[in-house]
Amino acid sequence: MAEIGSFNTLIVIKQVAFGIFLDGGALGEILLPRLEVPAGTEIGSALEVFLYHDSEDRPIATTRTPRAQVGQCVSLRCVQINHAGGFLDWGLPKDLLVPFGEQRVPMREESAYVVYVYLDKPSGRVAASTKLDNWLNEDGSGFAPMQPVNLLIWARTDMGWKAVIDGTHLGLIFKTEVLQPLRIGQKIKGFVRRVREDGRVDLCLQL
């Protein structure tokens, strides 16, 4: 089944002057605009495309690669604020919405934020949240001390820096462990310092 917010391999079922239509299964026929149709494409061809909603809330396909898919974390720049929330540049013609209720702090235009990309079930549209602790796992009981991990710096607190661990979990780098400048949105290698009794993960940047 075709999924919004992800890459899908779909079959071309119709060619029109303004593009081609792909078989989206339960989503119906999905347009791939003419300017994005690969050369040599014909009816029956299989294309890998990313699905999202256009400005009129219709499912649409693109061969472009967004900066993140549903289920991923990424740092993105806010390009607009309006009555619906903040809008982020994620590399597609329609910007990515962060509803006001999903903003950890009020967003400001031209600032960058680490967000989790999700599929809003009531609307079926792709959206994002800066409240990563509502979406990511904070129980790191599956990690081991001294395990190397990939980190994405999410937020600063009085205790240190909160970071996304391998795109799936959250952990904390105590400020006493930080011997170099850090910034929100920075990707960096690190290590699991320890897993506490409550399952929360303490991190370090060097052994």
Side-chain angles (χ1 to χ4, degrees):
M1 178 180 174
E3 296 182 348
I4 298 291
S6 303
F7 280 96
N8 301 260
T9 299
L10 303 180
I11 303 299
V12 178
I13 56 175
K14 187 188 300 182
Q15 292 179 314
V16 293
F18 48 87
I20 60 174
F21 282 97
L22 305 165
D23 182 4
L27 296 176
E29 297 180 352
I30 300 176
L31 175 67
L32 176 65
R34 179 175 59 84
L35 293 178
E36 296 193 43
V37 177
T41 298
E42 55 188 30
I43 292 176
S45 296
L47 297 180
E48 184 177 33
V49 293
F50 182 82
L51 301 183
Y52 66 112
H53 283 84
D54 65 14
S55 58
E56 298 182 13
D57 282 336
R58 298 171 302 190
I60 192 168
T62 181
T63 53
R64 303 182 191 186
T65 300
R67 295 190 175 95
Q69 303 180 54
V70 166
Q72 295 180 343
C73 295
V74 67
S75 177
L76 299 174
R77 181 173 59 92
C78 180
V79 294
Q80 182 186 6
I81 304 289
N82 67 18
H83 66 279
F87 288 84
L88 309 176
D89 176 9
W90 65 324
L92 296 180
K94 184 183 179 184
D95 297 325
L96 182 62
L97 172 66
V98 182
F100 288 116
E102 290 293 339
Q103 295 180 23
R104 183 170 175 267
V105 296
M107 287 187 154
R108 297 183 299 175
E109 291 184 8
E110 299 306 319
S111 293
Y113 301 89
V114 173
V115 298
Y116 176 85
V117 182
Y118 68 96
L119 190 64
D120 181 63
K121 291 184 178 180
S123 68
R125 295 188 293 267
V126 182
S129 173
T130 59
K131 296 181 178 180
L132 271 61
D133 43 355
N134 290 343
W135 296 95
L136 297 183
N137 196 337
E138 294 192 77
D139 180 1
S141 54
F143 291 103
M146 302 301 110
Q147 178 179 338
V149 288
N150 295 308
L151 302 177
L152 174 62
I153 304 301
W154 166 43
R156 189 169 189 172
T157 72
D158 292 339
M159 299 177 67
W161 296 85
K162 290 186 177 181
V164 180
I165 309 169
D166 290 341
T168 59
H169 289 68
L170 289 175
L172 177 67
I173 310 169
F174 283 96
K175 55 187 176 184
T176 54
E177 298 280 351
V178 179
L179 303 177
Q180 63 192 82
L182 294 178
R183 58 176 174 80
I184 292 173
Q186 181 177 353
K187 293 181 179 180
I188 192 169
K189 300 287 186 180
F191 302 89
V192 174
R193 184 174 179 271
R194 67 167 181 165
V195 179
R196 294 183 241 165
E197 290 184 1
D198 61 4
R200 294 178 183 268
V201 181
D202 293 341
L203 300 162
C204 58
L205 301 181
Q206 50 276 317
L207 295 176

